[in-house]
């Protein structure tokens, strides 16, 4: 298990490779469909200090409010491929070092990992209470009223958030490999 | 019945059915020691245990809430709908459900899981005195990789026969890759129209994952497809490995001569379903839904019953 403290230096991220198991410590920020659309349309300034040399987490959590503080009840990853049209531009603009989600992403994001110096970290899809329990504090929430609970920008301080690198800054992607291998098998099974 | 429905939602969201846990354990044991796939399924199992012990949602995407209510003649559907909606609002407040209903035009989240089309409720009147409600929470990631084929399909050489159905299912599971939170359970609806074909596919997902189709032709196809989908090697989360799907369930409806649809409803490993039977004011909870019970009937009777 490789420990990464956030924010992180580009040179440390470039050392990571596909298959590495990573544990994260520091701040990660949730952003999913509406947040990505908003970022590329408006390039909001408030986002910059949150994710520069930091991490975007594709997640729409279940949150519970007690008094003034918010607690993450369930916070697993959502499917990342929906952000494929936006992610490369977001990574480049804000200098994001880690994209966390599930299911992997496509060639545009893989190229951005190489160009910007970033990796894609795959968290376990559906493991929501397990991952929520690594959130030691909800530091802030942005645009909650406008975007709603699942789509808002949640700033999570995490301690030991686990994931596996499936796309690295050298241009390797576990997802692209498996797609190729399983396509051969599909063709054989279907008989075409 | 609001209180009983609230407890049903809590159970569906927090407790994964035992039959699903069992096949996930089998899948975990089949993956290589030290592999990311095995470790992923270890996390899944630990997560389910944690969710159950702490009454928290297994997955933060608490999904489309799909209700099937079988009720006696004396019970009002309007009253049942009110109770389900009230229970849904309460469950959202208690964080058993995430606010998951969004106005498709304005983008505004209703905040309480209700609104046009949410939750989804199907009613069936029956001659029994008891009421049985089945609930499934179906995640959006798995819904997005679900698919519908209109046969014939030239690209995969699928004609209007069993072989065409087989090719469609293998192709859909291939296309899903790891994006639907696999290992998944595959519900297949053959025939019907575009809408009822997918409804049939989703109803199949209420079956116990380890049951057997009473129709021998479909039972054989389910077995073949389970093996062939796993041969794809996509594995848990798309990390590679031998556990790509946990089960394949197939149902058929009559179609028009002009149409031949094969609908594939992909359900993530977090196959959340629960059932409650209410009689004489007493609620009894179960992990076996009324929809699953149908599959103990012979094929012909089951088809006639629909």
């Amino acid at each position: 298990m490789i420990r990464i403290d956030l924010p992180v230096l580009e040179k440390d991220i470039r050392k990571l490779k596909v298959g590495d198991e990573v544990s994260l410590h520091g701040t990660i920020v949730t952003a999913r469909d509406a947040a990505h659309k908003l970022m590329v349309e408006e390039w909001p300034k408030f986002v910059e200090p949150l994710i520069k040399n930091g991490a975007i987490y594709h997640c729409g959590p279940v949150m519970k409010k007690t008094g003034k503080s918010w607690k993450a009840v369930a916070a697993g990853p959502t499917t990342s491929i929906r952000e494929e049209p936006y992610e490369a531009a977001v990574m480049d603009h804000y200098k994001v070092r880690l994209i966390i989600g599930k299911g992997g992403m496509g060639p545009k994001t893989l190229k951005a990992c190489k160009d910007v110096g970033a990796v894609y970290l795959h968290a376990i899809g559906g493991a929501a209470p397990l991952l929520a329990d690594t959130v030691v504090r909800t530091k802030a929430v942005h645009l909650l009223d406008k975007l709603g609970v699942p789509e808002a920008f949640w700033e999570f301080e995490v301690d030991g958030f686990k994931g596996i690198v499936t796309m690295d800054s050298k241009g390797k992607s576990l997802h692209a490999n498996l797609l190729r291998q399983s396509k051969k098998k599909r063709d054989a099974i279907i008989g075409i | 019945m609001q209180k009983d429905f609230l407890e049903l939602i809590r159970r569906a969201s927090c407790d994964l059915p035992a039959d699903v846990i069992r096949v996930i354990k089998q899948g975990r044991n089949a993956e290589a020691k030290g592999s990311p796939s095995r470790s992923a399924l270890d996390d899944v199992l630990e997560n389910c245990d944690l969710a159950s012990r702490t009454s928290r949602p297994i997955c933060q995407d608490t999904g489309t809430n799909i209700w099937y209510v079988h009720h006696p003649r004396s019970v009002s559907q309007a009253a049942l709908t009110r109770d389900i909606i009230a229970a849904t609002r309460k469950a959202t407040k208690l964080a058993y459900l995430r606010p998951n209903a969004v106005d498709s035009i304005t983008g505004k989240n209703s905040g309480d899981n209700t609104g046009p089309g949410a939750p989804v409720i199907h009613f069936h009147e029956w001659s029994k005195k008891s009421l049985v409600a089945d609930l499934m929470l179906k995640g959006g990631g798995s819904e997005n990789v679900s698919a519908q084929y209109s046969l014939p399909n030239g690209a995969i050489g699928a004609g209007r026969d069993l072989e065409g159905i087989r090719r469609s299912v293998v192709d859909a599971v291939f296309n899903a890759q790891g994006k639907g939170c696999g290992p998944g359970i595959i519900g297949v609806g053959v025939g019907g129209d575009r809408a009822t074909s997918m409804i049939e596919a989703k109803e199949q997902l209420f079956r116990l994952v380890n049951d057997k189709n009473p129709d021998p032709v479909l039972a054989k196809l389910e077995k073949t497809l389970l093996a062939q989908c796993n041969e794809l090697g996509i594995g848990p989360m798309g990390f590679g490995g031998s556990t790509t799907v946990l089960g394949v369930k197939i149902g058929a409806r009559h179609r028009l001569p002009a149409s031949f649809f094969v609908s594939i409803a992909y359900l993530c490993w977090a196959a959340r379903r629960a059932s409650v039977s209410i009689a004489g004011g007493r609620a009894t909870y179960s992990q076996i839904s009324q929809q699953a019970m149908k599959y103990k009937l012979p094929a012909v009777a089951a088809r006639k019953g629909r």
Side-chain angles (χ1 to χ4, degrees):
Chain A
M1 187 77 70
I2 299 167
R3 180 190 168 107
I4 295 281
D5 289 280
L6 294 160
V8 62
L9 296 173
E10 182 184 342
K11 71 174 174 60
D12 290 330
I13 284 297
R14 286 199 182 270
K15 285 180 204 155
L16 295 175
K17 55 185 191 311
V18 166
D20 284 345
E21 285 189 70
V22 170
S23 86
L24 296 179
H25 305 261
T27 302
I28 65 175
V29 178
T30 69
R32 48 179 292 167
D33 309 75
H36 276 78
K37 187 166 179 287
L38 184 134
M39 282 192 280
V40 300
E41 281 172 1
E42 299 176 18
W43 298 116
K45 284 252 186 302
F46 80 88
V47 176
E48 190 162 337
L50 309 183
I51 56 174
K52 188 175 180 184
N53 294 317
I56 284 178
Y57 182 23
H58 298 154
C59 168
V62 176
M63 302 297 295
K64 205 170 186 176
K65 197 173 189 181
T66 341
K68 276 187 181 165
S69 69
W70 286 94
K71 189 164 172 47
V73 174
T78 190
T79 310
S80 298
I81 196 68
R82 295 192 306 271
E83 316 319 333
E84 179 69 7
Y86 315 112
E87 204 70 271
V90 169
M91 290 162 78
D92 182 52
H93 184 90
Y94 293 114
K95 304 299 170 213
V96 186
R97 300 290 165 217
L98 287 130
I99 301 297
I100 314 162
K102 73 168 175 82
M105 299 188 73
K108 265 176 77 181
T109 303
L110 186 60
K111 186 173 180 296
C113 284
K114 206 172 172 178
D115 295 345
V116 177
V119 295
Y120 178 82
L121 192 69
H122 199 301
I124 302 305
L130 200 65
L131 291 167
D133 284 356
T134 69
V135 178
V136 290
R137 191 162 67 97
T138 304
K139 292 169 73 179
V141 57
H142 305 269
L143 304 185
L144 178 61
D145 289 342
K146 183 173 174 175
L147 301 179
V149 169
E151 297 271 6
F153 292 86
W154 293 94
E155 269 185 76
F156 288 151
E157 188 182 326
V158 298
D159 187 22
F161 182 104
K162 253 184 7 175
I164 175 165
V165 176
T166 56
M167 294 161 66
D168 64 25
S169 62
K170 296 162 191 77
K172 284 242 167 68
S173 164
L174 173 73
H175 310 287
N177 274 354
L178 263 164
L179 183 66
R180 264 194 307 275
Q181 288 168 17
S182 58
K183 185 167 187 314
K184 273 188 207 149
K185 286 185 182 151
R186 181 205 70 154
D187 293 352
I189 294 166
I190 289 185
I192 48 173
Chain B
M1 269 169 266
Q2 192 189 319
K3 218 174 95 245
D4 304 324
F5 290 157
L6 176 64
E7 174 60 10
L8 181 67
I9 297 171
R10 189 194 69 77
R11 285 175 184 246
S13 183
C14 308
D15 294 333
L16 201 64
D19 61 299
V20 181
I21 296 270
R22 199 175 309 122
V23 289
I24 293 175
K25 279 185 181 157
Q26 285 166 2
R28 181 257 177 208
N29 292 337
E31 297 299 336
K33 282 199 177 117
S35 65
S37 303
R38 187 164 172 139
S39 147
L41 292 180
D42 275 334
D43 283 355
V44 160
L45 290 165
E46 189 189 339
N47 181 73
C48 291
D49 184 52
L50 182 63
S52 181
R53 278 190 288 112
T54 58
S55 270
R56 281 190 285 169
I58 293 162
C59 176
Q60 77 289 337
D61 180 5
T62 51
T64 307
N65 293 195
I66 307 170
W67 293 77
Y68 279 85
V69 185
H70 303 74
H71 64 88
R73 197 176 158 185
S74 56
V75 176
S76 149
Q77 291 186 356
L80 284 171
T81 303
R82 279 195 297 274
D83 280 355
I84 289 173
I85 286 176
T88 301
R89 288 185 170 139
K90 188 86 200 279
T92 312
K93 269 202 185 116
L94 292 171
Y96 301 148
L97 297 175
R98 181 177 73 180
N100 233 15
V102 179
D103 185 312
S104 296
I105 306 305
T106 65
K108 183 88 185 152
N109 193 316
S110 74
D112 63 4
N113 276 302
T114 69
V120 177
I121 311 172
H122 301 268
F123 287 113
H124 294 282
E125 184 185 309
W126 64 7
S127 53
K128 294 182 190 177
K129 289 205 169 75
S130 62
L131 177 147
V132 174
D134 296 341
L135 172 62
M136 177 181 292
L137 309 184
K138 189 176 183 303
S142 70
E143 187 68 5
N144 286 351
V145 297
S146 296
Q148 189 168 66
Y149 292 71
S150 175
L151 303 189
N153 180 314
I156 53 168
R160 295 179 154 193
D161 49 23
L162 285 173
E163 174 60 10
I165 299 166
R166 185 187 73 86
R167 288 180 178 216
S168 302
V169 175
V170 172
D171 190 54
V173 172
F174 162 76
N175 286 329
Q177 291 287 306
K179 296 190 285 283
C181 268
I185 300 171
I186 311 302
V188 182
V190 180
D193 65 11
R194 290 236 183 230
T196 59
S197 183
M198 189 53 91
I199 286 175
E200 176 63 39
K202 288 189 178 175
E203 287 182 358
Q204 289 295 316
L205 298 172
F206 280 92
R207 285 170 58 188
L208 294 182
V209 71
N210 50 359
D211 74 352
K212 198 174 166 185
N213 199 314
D215 181 326
V217 174
L218 295 182
K220 192 174 165 214
L221 186 58
E222 288 177 1
K223 205 175 156 195
T224 304
L225 277 168
L226 176 62
Q228 292 185 340
C229 290
N230 283 329
E231 272 173 44
L232 288 169
I234 295 162
M237 300 291 135
F239 287 172
S242 57
T243 317
T244 301
V245 306
L246 299 169
V248 179
K249 306 288 161 194
I250 309 172
R253 294 191 182 193
H254 279 28
R255 59 181 175 83
L256 297 182
S259 306
F260 196 120
F261 298 113
V262 179
S263 299
I264 292 105
Y266 193 110
L267 181 62
C268 54
W269 65 258
R272 289 153 288 173
R273 47 177 157 75
S275 187
V276 62
S277 170
I278 301 167
R282 272 189 55 158
T284 314
Y285 298 92
S286 167
Q287 294 183 333
I288 305 172
S289 62
Q290 192 59 38
Q291 309 278 105
M293 304 285 271
K294 281 184 193 165
Y295 273 75
K296 291 187 174 165
L297 299 171
V300 177
R303 284 215 185 108
K304 272 186 186 162
R306 287 200 190 104

